[in-house]
Amino acid sequence: MPKAKYNYIYRDLKEKIETEYYAYQELLPSEHSLASEYGCSRNTVRRALAELTAEGCVQPMHGKGVRNIFQPVEQTSFTVGGIESFKESARRNKQNAFTRVLLFTELSADETIEKRTGFKAGTELYYLQRLRSLNGKPLILDHNYFLKNLVKGLTPEIASHSIYDYLEGELGITIATSKRTLTVEHVTQIDEKYIDMKDYNCMAVITSQTFDDNGVQFEFTQSRHRPDYFRFQDVATRRRG
Amino acid sequence: MPKAKYNYIYRDLKEKIETEYYAYQELLPSEHSLASEYGCSRNTVRRALAELTAEGCVQPMHGKGVRNIFQPVEQTSFTVGGIESFKESARRNKQNAFTRVLLFTELSADETIEKRTGFKAGTELYYLQRLRSLNGKPLILDHNYFLKNLVKGLTPEIASHSIYDYLEGELGITIATSKRTLTVEHVTQIDEKYIDMKDYNCMAVITSQTFDDNGVQFEFTQSRHRPDYFRFQDVATRRRG
DNA sequence: GCCGATTTGTCCGTATGTATC
DNA sequence: CGATACATACGGACAAATCGG
């Protein structure tokens, strides 16, 4: 969708990196030569490189060049990364996804909910519980709160497919950022009721607040994963100064 | 240390956001007016804003303005974020840190280690086990592998203080990026020997490969945290296209 | 050690496009 | 419609780091 030139260059470079057209640990062509290759300014090349740097695909070295440090990740379990719907994650992890809606209600936020979710008391919300299965095995239990004001006309039917498709496709909501916290918590009775926990007494828990492009929080979700099918990946860069 | 102008602007804006000089959900001054305020070009302001955006502090809105969406995080447990030494994390979390070196050896990587750590078989490594305590309670168990070639002259004495201080201060190594994977695993005998696990039978596990500014991996670490004192935070942005 | 060529890092001024109000 | 705001892109300038001769 974005017709931006830097975005095209970003995708092109990324493909050449992933397919090892540029070998691992090798230097990419200089910014100057990339600029003439793509017929653009050096700034535009630099912008594409900045994205690749943020993803940990390349490493720019002052005075030397830009090194390819991309390594493919193993995809054994269910890997979580950026903002994705369950469907998208499942497709990326090449797994068969199924969602069962356990609970679909509406409620008004009180002070307890405000403190936990970030929604002001009195706010009208949808509250859902959904059980996610991969290849037939129930492994993830989601508790979702959606802002009724913004996420209009939500139904159990939609919730059993993809709410994100509905938000972005039907309602024209632009999902912008998501603040996530990852913790490990004791299993609950609800967890044990729906998920075969084997001998684990803990769950990997992702809680997230998600905002649209107006800075309005429209979602709070707690996503509880069985440990052996959970993997979260991240590339961090060291902050100097 | 970075005397870059955009870095100064970034820090100045961040402080004004954190201290609510700019209120939550309010718009910042326009890029144009910030540029004249700081006596710089609009590009330089935009660069500072881009960093704040990546951190989830602000949200730029096309045609409208830039909204402050910073919310302070609760710091009850031990929160992990960017690349930090244990000491730095402890200071940020306002906790008293103590490190005990359980094991300090040298070894040569075999194929099992290569597969797990990313160090080629035959590579000479330091292998350490360290127990981390917060406010007197042992809570974290680290398994560290360091490249002997690069991390010269490591001693148990240094390992009991801060290896990162040693790397950056004494050896002049620049820490660049770290690829991290977060999983939840069963407790091991070693975990139970040193850490009071209460009734948890799982640990929050961060495994990380860390690279210097030449793209050379010099560290592989597995950091095992007791669940109730573990918290990982993250801001993700939705990728379009 | 010095010098010059190359490469990335920072910054500027300007122009144009697009969305909002 | 015009004014304002952010988004993209260009070309140029100089600084800082690296490397080879």
Side-chain angles (χ1 to χ4, degrees), chain B residues 16-28:
Chain B
K16 285 176 176 167
I17 287 167
E18 287 177 344
T19 59
E20 300 201 72
Y21 176 86
Y22 301 130
Y24 179 62
Q25 290 289 354
E26 252 188 21
L27 296 188
L28 270 55

Side-chain angles (χ1 to χ4, degrees), chain A residues 64 67 180 214 232 234, chain B residues 64 67 180 182 214 234:
Chain A
K64 291 194 206 167
R67 173 166 285 160
R180 299 182 294 190
N214 290 315
F232 181 91
D234 183 47
Chain B
K64 292 191 201 166
R67 174 166 285 160
R180 299 182 294 192
L182 216 148
N214 290 315
D234 185 45

Side-chain angles (χ1 to χ4, degrees), chain B residues 98-130:
Chain B
F98 177 75
T99 297
R100 179 177 151 204
V101 179
L102 302 177
L103 181 66
F104 186 100
T105 61
E106 303 179 8
L107 54 79
S108 185
D110 58 19
E111 293 203 354
T112 312
I113 293 179
E114 170 173 346
K115 193 158 185 196
R116 198 154 64 89
T117 67
F119 289 119
K120 286 257 176 284
T123 311
E124 296 292 313
L125 302 171
Y126 290 108
Y127 172 54
L128 289 74
Q129 288 179 5
R130 295 190 290 173

